[in-house]
Amino acid sequence: MSASNVEDLRSAFSLGSRVFDDLPVFRNFYAHRSEYTAMKARRIAYKYGIPVREHPTVILCRTSPGASQAVILEWLDDIWATVQMVCD
């Protein structure tokens, strides 16, 4: 497929954000609410410098060391930046 905006797509998804890898894990937790999915979400907390013993909801509401806002808000900003790059 030769999309006319393929370079914009590559650029947008190469921002280095983890949101597109990590958000589905949290979505699975909220969909299934099992100990297994909670454990997977807690593993992600480690990557953000957040204690892994926290509940997934608390993880999303915590601010990573060096960040200016909660993880979920950082993700929303990253998604917004990606959408802007794709649509511009």
Side-chain angles (χ1 to χ4, degrees):
M1 294 186 352
S2 295
S4 62
N5 65 342
V6 72
E7 288 305 317
D8 292 335
L9 291 169
R10 282 190 185 128
S11 183
F13 286 98
S14 67
L15 290 174
S17 174
R18 297 199 41 84
V19 66
F20 298 106
D21 295 323
D22 298 343
L23 184 59
V25 176
F26 279 83
R27 178 261 172 224
N28 287 340
F29 167 74
Y30 289 106
H32 304 287
R33 294 202 184 250
S34 69
E35 186 54 40
Y36 175 73
T37 58
M39 180 182 61
K40 288 183 80 172
R42 287 184 187 112
R43 282 189 197 140
I44 289 172
Y46 178 79
K47 297 173 187 175
Y48 292 92
I50 296 170
V52 296
R53 66 187 173 278
E54 301 282 7
H55 186 275
T57 301
V58 174
I59 293 166
L60 292 175
C61 295
R62 295 279 303 259
T63 302
S64 299
S68 60
Q69 56 189 356
V71 170
I72 190 70
L73 297 175
E74 294 284 339
W75 287 355
L76 289 171
D77 284 348
D78 292 347
I79 292 168
W80 180 252
T82 303
V83 168
Q84 291 294 82
M85 290 182 77
V86 170
C87 294
D88 283 347

